Amino acid sequence: MGEKIGIIGVNGAGKSTILQLLTGLFTATEGKIFIDNIEFTKKTLRDIRKKIGFIFQDSDNQLFMNTVYEDIAFGLRSGGLEEYIVKEKVEDIIKQMNIEHLTDKSIYKLSGGQKRMVAIAGILVMNPRILLMDEPTAALDPKSRRILINTLKELPQTNIIATHDLDMIMDLCSRVIILNNGKVVADGIVDNLLRDKELMEKCNLELPLSLQNKI
């Protein structure tokens, strides 16, 4: 519990597919998947999904209420929480994500980066046991990116992050899985693998920006 795992690879390597398999959006044709020691089957799908929060690559797939507050509150209200508890939780996550200025703003008037932060807040407020994130820093400006990374660092949940943002992986994760052509080519300690220039080039990846010109 609490492990931060990065999944990296070029476009088409299979990063998003892995996350979709873990949420049941894709069905595995062979092998078995276990989430929190529960085998993923049609019978266990509902219980497993209660443990998982999935942040899509396209924030528009997650935002559908009129205002930021209403969208973040939606999942809590659907769970039957009393309104004063919903208000408290929503206000806490809005403050944590530094988006108080967006509280009453229309979803349809948000920038891409603002939508990203709101979509993430809507998942975090549900306090899932496992967070699956597909390109969570996409469209974020440097300040929002830093707020997100610092927020994720403090969370007790397991994070599984598929991303091209290798510097985020260096900063946040302890373990990284490198994919190439749909296969795992490396799985280990972030600092070791992302400094391996030969391995990274073999997988058509560059070193993180923070390491370039240092190795």
Side-chain angles (χ1 to χ4, degrees), residues 18 49-50 80 89 101 103 118 144:
I18 287 179
R49 281 184 171 170
K50 290 179 180 178
K89 288 180 177 292
H101 59 294
T103 300
V118 173
S144 296

Side-chain angles (χ1 to χ4, degrees), residues 64-82:
F64 47 87
M65 300 298 286
N66 289 326
T67 69
V68 168
Y69 183 94
E70 295 296 316
D71 210 287
I72 297 173
F74 177 81
L76 297 172
R77 287 170 170 166
S78 297
L81 291 183
E82 294 187 48

Side-chain angles (χ1 to χ4, degrees), residues 105-152:
K105 195 165 184 177
S106 168
I107 290 294
Y108 309 105
K109 294 183 179 180
L110 301 179
S111 68
Q114 289 171 337
K115 286 181 179 179
R116 198 76 179 143
M117 294 295 276
V118 173
I120 292 168
I123 296 298
L124 293 183
V125 78
M126 299 297 294
N127 195 31
R129 186 173 175 82
I130 301 168
L131 277 172
L132 305 179
M133 291 172 277
D134 197 352
E135 298 291 355
T137 59
L140 295 185
D141 58 56
K143 180 180 179 181
S144 296
R145 177 182 176 276
R146 175 49 50 192
I147 290 171
L148 175 60
I149 291 174
N150 288 341
T151 298
L152 295 177

